[in-house]
Amino acid sequence: MELLVMIRAVSMGFVLLCVFVLWVLPTEGAGRESFLRNSSSSRPSSVNVGALFTYDSFIGRAAKPAFMAAIEDVNADQSILRRTKLNIVFHDSNCSGFVGTMGALQVMENKVIAAIGPQSSGIGHIISHVADELHVPLLSFAATDPTLSSLQFPYFLRTTQSDYFQMNAIADFVSYWRWREVVAIFVDDEYGRNGISVLGDALAKKRAKISYKAAFTPGVDISSIKDLLASVNLMESRIFVVHVNPDSGLKIFSVAKSLGMVGSGYVWIATDWLLTALDSVETVDPKTMDLLQGVVAFRHYTPESNQKRRFKERWKSLKSKESPGGVFNSYAMYAYDTVWLVARALEVFFSEGNTVTFSNDPNLGKTNGSNIKLSALNVFNEGERFLQVIHDMNYTGLTGQIEYDSEKNRRNPAYDILNINSRGPQRVGYWSNHTGFSVEPPETFYSKPPNTYAEHQRLKEITWPGEVTKPPRGWVFPDNGEPLKIGVPDRVSYKNYVSKDNNSLGVKGYCIDIFEAAIQLLPYPVPRTYIVYGDGKRNPSYDNLISEVAANNFDVAVGDVTIVTNRTKFVDFTQPFMESGLVVVAPVKGAKSSPWSFLKPFTVEMWAVTGAFFLFVGAIIWILEHRFNEEFRGPPRRQIITVFWFSFSTMFFSHRENTVSTLGRFVLLIWLFVVLIINSSYTASLTSILTVQQLTSRIEGMDSLIASNEPIGVQDGAFAYKYLVNELNVPPSRIISLKDEEEYLSSLQLGPRGGGVAAIVDELPYIKTLLSNSNCKFRTVGPEFTRTGWGFAFQRDSPLAVDMSTAILQLSEEGKLDKIRKKWLTYNHECTMQIADTENYQISVQSFWGLFLICGIVWFIALTLFCWKVFWQCQRLRTEEEGDEVRASEEASSSRSGRSLRAASFKDLIKVVDKRDAEIKEMLKQKSSKKLKASQSSAETP
């Protein structure tokens, strides 16, 4: 389509070139002079610049005084162009594409080095081909169509902002208020269509969209606008983006007012055309302001500066002299800056030593004998270089910093965001591609890193239509008479969840009651109708039902719809109202009793650790009691038997040996506490194993089922089939679809050898019902291997899905979900879901490692104290013996050298350990007495 438009534009441009030669219109000029080139100097005495726009328009009435002021200022400034005079050649396009194009050709005849304009994007598309052919830079101060910046038009350069940025700003505004759909109202020309196309792309990045495009032709009458808005008002979205021309856009709000479309609940967003129209009127009619109450409008942002303030003060004298009806708006500043951009670029162009020359276009000279004189149009030989100089300019003008990026867009695009209320337009913030929304001017953030994160976006309070400050929801149910179309699966099994009925709704079940209860909690009415999906003979495919919702055949699917990843790619689910997951159901039989059941309460590791601790405690008690207790003394054989007997007799608290040492009693007390806990746990575990009915199955879980290569049953229409095939790589030939509960039960009873199935894979809610109705003949085996839930499936980006999720959460918090569940999901028999595994009752070391750790610490402390006491006694004995030996040697011979003191050996230490504690104390007492007597006798001897 775009290619056809381009071809048509090129063809039209060529035809108009031909018409130009046959029909030359008079041209108005503000100093049309012949172009003179001084052969001795690179600077000509004058250069011509063309200007093409509609005089009698909001933009034109402001642009012409600005052009004249700029020309006057440039020629008066001795630092610019010096001896070269800048002339401007005007032409009025008169709001006509044909006349505007003809005017562009006449302007080009004057050997212009640049053309300023047009203000119309449509004309810009056509004459851009002429500018490309003649190498004349085309500088537009008002054509904002984003496609004019493409590589297709290399000589087109925009001195204002592209609508690409404005549409991204509007998309950010829609996302800021969390709206999902908008209606676009636009003029059906290049300006309107291409701008709205960019808006659609920008909204898609925010997970929003244009739900309806309402286009009208330029110059449309009131009646057509009324019909268009009446059809728009039937739509769901209440967010209207208006992208039209400033000269006719106010008609839309007048008609919307008559249709009651500017009240509470509506949102109107206008592009920069609206404020251009309001700024161009000295006194706005109060009736007009009443029409626009609550509208949010965007406007090109121009930073405040002394230069801008002086220009505004000068404006009154400018408009009275050049355009009596002209009123200041932002396009006046862009027009003024465009002339200065050309002048500054020319100064750089000439200072580089470049010249201005023109030559005939050989492509236009081939007329083949025709009377059409195409040679009147000349090619600007240095046009490419001059265009590059313009692109490289960097200075500050009335509209801020004038600098271009690689895509020919001005840097740092920004917009004012204004809210129109009873006091007129009020600024509520700014938008820039550097920081997003802010309440501070954008230039204050340019020195900082870009930051467009949502948490940093700020806007002031907005008064919406109807004089409300609460942000509108942004959508309503359509007024086109169509209720919400609800698709309901026509189940043939498990009908308590959802089924067809003859009541007023036409359906009933657990899922229907939850949906109705949630609908009642919404703050607005929801007209709805239930449509049964399926033939009633087999369960319908739920994936196909989801596809119907995605294809707009249903607005929502209500039923036992499982939330799975693949489905979320096409629809939006609500908050789950029931938990679910896939489980395996298999036949079971009673387990045979084992003669070794008494060993099952403990794991092998627990038995080993417990036995080791029993031996350790016997050995430690023997060490602590051996020096004190006669029962722990005697021949080695007797002592070993005593250790073993004492160790294991503590298990039953039947040990006959008494403990007499303090450390031994402390260790035994802690150990008996541990034995008490172990005995109690063993008894409880053994009781559970022996009293709970033990069931076994050939299928232990999903892994063993897949490895068995036996048939697997699944519910007809459910997602389990695709899950087994796509995720678990089960061959489709092994999977058997089962129609209802009767087929479930019969297939399980027959088994794979009798033409049935080895097990069934289905969702947990269904299995609970199946086990109850089968008198608990079957059980689930293995763990639940998926964790999902049931939800209501709405169309993508449906705002109703969010409200319904909130309502479901409210039902859950109020306990109403549980009440509905008890109403529909009552079971005849409460069955134990899974087979009881004896391993679940076994006690492992992990359960008792804390007790064993305490025992180990107590034993370590007791042994440490015992060893310290033994070493202390041994040291004292050695000291006494050494003293006796010294005294004996002195008495025997005073001349003989002293013998080496006998060092204590390990054998001596063992002797101390083996002796009774009482004997050691008696020995120490006797040696102390002897030492005392020896001291007394030595003192009496003179």
Side-chain angles (χ1 to χ4, degrees):
M1 182 66 185
E2 293 180 356
L3 179 63
L4 294 176
V5 172
M6 182 184 71
I7 295 173
R8 186 172 62 182
V10 174
S11 302
M12 183 177 179
F14 181 77
V15 171
L16 291 175
L17 283 173
C18 298
V19 173
F20 158 75
V21 180
L22 299 176
W23 179 33
V24 178
L25 297 176
T27 303
E28 178 185 356
R32 176 180 177 185
E33 301 178 4
S34 61
F35 180 81
L36 301 174
R37 182 168 60 88
N38 193 337
S39 59
S40 62
S41 174
S42 62
R43 290 179 179 264
S45 60
S46 66
V47 291
N48 293 336
V49 175
L52 179 69
F53 56 94
T54 300
Y55 293 174
D56 189 19
S57 66
F58 285 127
I59 296 176
R61 286 191 290 270
K64 190 170 185 180
F67 282 137
M68 299 305 298
I71 287 293
E72 181 181 343
D73 293 345
V74 167
N75 290 327
D77 192 338
Q78 296 300 319
S79 64
I80 298 294
L81 298 181
R82 299 185 183 92
R83 297 180 302 275
T84 302
K85 182 180 180 182
L86 187 65
N87 299 322
I88 189 165
V89 181
F90 290 104
H91 195 282
D92 184 5
S93 61
N94 200 27
C95 289
S96 169
F98 179 77
V99 175
T101 306
M102 294 300 301
L105 296 174
Q106 294 179 52
V107 167
M108 296 294 183
E109 181 194 14
N110 291 275
K111 295 185 177 181
V112 295
I113 50 93
I116 300 176
Q119 72 187 63
S120 167
S121 297
I123 299 176
H125 276 271
I126 297 175
I127 67 174
S128 289
H129 295 287
V130 179
D132 294 346
E133 181 67 25
L134 301 180
H135 296 181
V136 176
L138 183 62
L139 311 179
S140 178
F141 65 98
T144 56
D145 177 7
T147 61
L148 284 171
S149 297
S150 67
L151 296 177
Q152 182 184 1
F153 307 110
Y155 280 85
F156 179 86
L157 198 65
R158 198 186 335 263
T159 59
T160 185
Q161 298 293 354
S162 169
D163 273 344
Y164 171 84
F165 301 106
Q166 182 171 208
M167 295 307 167
N168 276 271
I170 293 175
D172 285 349
F173 186 79
V174 172
S175 176
Y176 180 86
W177 297 107
R178 299 182 181 180
W179 296 320
R180 307 295 289 274
E181 295 183 2
V182 303
V183 172
I185 302 173
F186 61 98
V187 60
D188 192 12
D189 60 8
E190 287 82 354
Y191 160 75
R193 285 193 303 270
N194 295 333
I196 294 303
S197 176
V198 172
L199 176 62
D201 294 339
L203 288 172
K205 296 177 183 178
K206 306 292 182 180
R207 284 207 64 185
K209 66 178 181 179
I210 299 175
S211 60
Y212 184 74
K213 294 182 179 181
F216 59 86
T217 58
V220 66
D221 56 22
I222 296 293
S223 176
S224 298
I225 294 178
K226 187 173 183 179
D227 293 340
L228 182 69
L229 293 185
S231 63
V232 164
N233 202 33
L234 298 177
M235 302 299 163
E236 182 180 274
S237 177
R238 284 294 181 263
I239 314 298
F240 302 130
V241 177
V242 184
H243 186 54
V244 296
N245 295 315
D247 298 274
S248 59
L250 291 175
K251 297 179 184 178
I252 294 175
F253 290 98
S254 177
V255 175
K257 178 75 172 180
S258 66
L259 296 176
M261 296 175 62
V262 293
S264 178
Y266 289 87
V267 176
W268 290 87
I269 303 172
T271 54
D272 65 303
W273 69 267
L274 179 57
L275 288 172
T276 299
L278 295 181
D279 292 342
S280 301
V281 181
E282 290 187 357
T283 304
V284 181
D285 185 2
K287 293 183 179 179
T288 301
M289 297 305 299
D290 183 60
L291 294 176
L292 301 175
Q293 193 279 324
V295 174
V296 175
F298 286 72
R299 178 175 63 191
H300 296 287
Y301 171 72
T302 55
E304 294 298 326
S305 64
N306 294 330
Q307 185 182 4
K308 178 180 175 181
R309 282 189 289 271
R310 288 194 297 268
F311 186 77
K312 285 184 176 180
E313 294 172 357
R314 181 185 173 191
W315 182 255
K316 290 185 179 180
S317 61
L318 292 177
K319 72 167 186 175
S320 60
K321 181 170 61 176
E322 301 296 341
S323 181
V327 177
F328 182 83
N329 59 44
S330 62
Y331 287 102
M333 293 185 290
Y334 284 110
Y336 184 88
D337 276 353
T338 303
V339 175
W340 270 98
L341 175 63
V342 173
R344 291 178 182 274
L346 270 175
E347 177 63 27
V348 174
F349 178 79
F350 289 141
S351 65
E352 292 177 350
N354 295 299
T355 60
V356 176
T357 60
F358 292 89
S359 62
N360 294 328
D361 187 345
N363 295 326
L364 300 179
K366 299 177 182 179
T367 58
N368 297 325
S370 172
N371 292 327
I372 301 176
K373 298 180 180 180
L374 299 178
S375 59
L377 300 177
N378 296 316
V379 176
F380 180 21
N381 296 328
E382 293 79 18
E384 184 177 357
R385 175 57 193 158
F386 185 47
L387 176 66
Q388 186 62 42
V389 172
I390 296 175
H391 182 270
D392 294 341
M393 293 302 296
N394 184 1
Y395 73 99
T396 302
L398 290 180
T399 57
Q401 189 70 18
I402 298 178
E403 182 183 5
Y404 290 92
D405 60 19
S406 59
E407 296 181 357
K408 298 183 179 180
N409 292 314
R410 284 187 60 171
R411 294 188 184 275
N412 298 325
Y415 290 87
D416 290 318
I417 304 170
L418 295 100
N419 178 216
I420 302 175
N421 54 33
S422 57
R423 295 174 294 171
Q426 304 293 320
R427 183 185 284 113
V428 295
Y430 307 88
W431 179 91
S432 71
N433 66 340
H434 188 80
T435 57
F437 295 116
S438 66
V439 294
E440 300 293 332
E443 62 268 18
T444 60
F445 301 100
Y446 290 154
S447 60
K448 302 177 182 178
N451 186 357
T452 57
Y453 293 110
E455 58 269 19
H456 296 99
Q457 306 299 294
R458 296 288 185 273
L459 287 175
K460 296 179 181 178
E461 185 178 74
I462 295 177
T463 302
W464 305 99
E467 298 185 357
V468 297
T469 56
K470 181 181 179 181
R473 188 171 68 245
W475 66 277
V476 295
F477 278 93
D479 293 335
N480 53 13
E482 295 184 7
L484 193 72
K485 294 180 293 184
I486 305 172
V488 178
D490 188 7
R491 295 192 59 88
V492 297
S493 61
Y494 304 112
K495 292 188 175 183
N496 51 340
Y497 293 107
V498 61
S499 63
K500 187 177 180 181
D501 194 65
N502 295 324
N503 58 17
S504 59
L505 297 177
V507 289
K508 67 176 182 179
Y510 169 71
C511 301
I512 302 300
D513 280 8
I514 290 179
F515 186 81
E516 286 293 317
I519 285 287
Q520 300 304 320
L521 294 178
L522 299 181
Y524 45 85
V526 181
R528 56 198 177 277
T529 180
Y530 290 91
I531 303 173
V532 176
Y533 179 76
D535 57 10
K537 297 179 181 179
R538 301 189 72 92
N539 292 335
S541 170
Y542 281 61
D543 286 336
N544 292 342
L545 176 59
I546 294 299
S547 299
E548 294 291 329
V549 175
N552 201 27
N553 295 325
F554 293 126
D555 296 312
V556 56
V558 173
D560 47 341
V561 183
T562 307
I563 303 173
V564 293
T565 304
N566 288 337
R567 294 173 181 174
T568 58
K569 297 177 182 178
F570 308 103
V571 296
D572 284 346
F573 282 94
T574 61
Q575 174 78 14
F577 58 85
M578 171 173 274
E579 294 183 355
S580 181
L582 290 179
V583 293
V584 179
V585 178
V588 294
K589 60 182 179 179
K592 295 181 180 180
S593 179
S594 172
W596 303 101
S597 297
F598 69 92
L599 294 176
K600 292 182 179 179
F602 287 171
T603 61
V604 175
E605 294 81 4
M606 182 65 180
W607 279 118
V609 172
T610 303
F613 266 73
F614 271 104
L615 293 176
F616 290 158
V617 75
I620 291 172
I621 292 294
W622 177 85
I623 293 172
L624 298 177
E625 291 292 320
H626 179 70
R627 303 180 65 214
F628 302 91
N629 197 336
E630 289 295 333
E631 295 181 353
F632 287 88
R633 299 183 67 83
R637 180 171 178 274
R638 176 187 172 188
Q639 293 185 50
I640 293 173
I641 294 173
T642 300
V643 169
F644 278 93
W645 165 255
F646 183 85
S647 297
F648 291 101
S649 63
T650 56
M651 182 185 301
F652 311 102
F653 307 98
S654 60
H655 52 283
R656 67 186 180 186
E657 294 81 8
N658 295 320
T659 53
V660 296
S661 68
T662 303
L663 291 177
R665 289 177 177 178
F666 179 63
V667 169
L668 183 60
L669 177 64
I670 299 299
W671 175 247
L672 292 178
F673 173 74
V674 174
V675 170
L676 176 64
I677 299 300
I678 293 176
N679 284 344
S680 302
S681 302
Y682 176 86
T683 303
S685 178
L686 183 61
T687 302
S688 300
I689 293 174
L690 296 179
T691 56
V692 174
Q693 182 184 11
Q694 299 299 313
L695 301 174
T696 61
S697 173
R698 294 185 303 104
I699 306 299
E700 298 178 354
M702 195 65 217
D703 293 336
S704 63
L705 178 61
I706 295 175
S708 67
N709 291 322
E710 294 179 335
I712 304 172
V714 296
Q715 184 181 168
D716 201 9
F719 86 100
Y721 180 91
K722 287 189 175 181
Y723 182 85
L724 293 175
V725 174
N726 299 332
E727 302 296 332
L728 302 182
N729 298 318
V730 177
S733 58
R734 289 184 56 192
I735 302 176
I736 300 176
S737 296
L738 304 176
K739 176 181 177 182
D740 50 27
E741 295 174 61
E742 293 182 0
E743 288 192 4
Y744 270 47
L745 298 176
S746 61
S747 297
L748 286 173
Q749 290 173 351
L750 291 173
R753 295 182 180 178
V757 297
I760 289 176
V761 176
D762 207 347
E763 294 184 69
L764 189 58
Y766 305 125
I767 296 306
K768 288 183 178 180
T769 304
L770 176 69
L771 297 182
S772 175
N773 295 338
S774 66
N775 294 325
C776 305
K777 293 181 179 178
F778 309 101
R779 290 289 191 277
T780 60
V781 292
E784 186 177 349
F785 57 93
T786 63
R787 302 289 294 182
T788 57
W790 291 354
F792 304 127
F794 286 84
Q795 293 180 7
R796 288 299 299 269
D797 301 323
S798 172
L800 188 58
V802 178
D803 291 350
M804 285 294 288
S805 292
T806 304
I808 291 172
L809 288 174
Q810 185 176 345
L811 288 175
S812 178
E813 292 171 358
E814 295 175 355
K816 294 181 179 179
L817 281 183
D818 191 56
K819 292 179 180 179
I820 298 174
R821 182 187 61 80
K822 291 179 180 179
K823 173 185 174 182
W824 288 97
L825 307 180
T826 55
Y827 306 114
N828 299 328
H829 302 278
E830 291 290 343
C831 301
T832 302
M833 290 301 298
Q834 290 190 341
I835 294 177
D837 192 349
T838 55
E839 294 183 358
N840 296 332
Y841 300 101
Q842 284 188 320
I843 298 173
S844 64
V845 178
Q846 293 180 348
S847 303
F848 287 91
W849 73 267
L851 282 175
F852 291 141
L853 178 63
I854 293 173
C855 279
I857 294 173
V858 170
W859 296 349
F860 176 78
I861 294 173
L863 288 175
T864 301
L865 294 175
F866 174 80
C867 292
W868 176 82
K869 183 178 180 181
V870 169
F871 278 111
W872 177 76
Q873 291 178 342
C874 183
Q875 184 67 23
R876 284 194 61 187
L877 287 174
R878 189 183 68 171
T879 302
E880 296 293 340
E881 290 176 356
E882 288 175 352
D884 292 343
E885 290 176 359
V886 170
R887 286 191 296 270
S889 64
E890 289 177 351
E891 293 174 358
S893 175
S894 58
S895 61
R896 189 179 51 165
S897 61
R899 295 182 305 172
S900 301
L901 299 177
R902 183 163 49 93
S905 64
F906 180 73
K907 187 175 182 180
D908 297 330
L909 180 62
I910 295 299
K911 289 180 179 180
V912 173
V913 173
D914 191 52
K915 288 183 179 181
R916 294 182 178 86
D917 187 69
E919 293 178 1
I920 298 298
K921 290 181 179 180
E922 183 63 27
M923 291 173 62
L924 290 174
K925 185 176 180 181
Q926 291 176 0
K927 289 183 180 294
S928 297
S929 299
K930 289 180 180 180
K931 182 178 181 182
L932 182 59
K933 290 179 180 180
S935 300
Q936 291 175 354
S937 62
S938 62
E940 292 175 356
T941 303

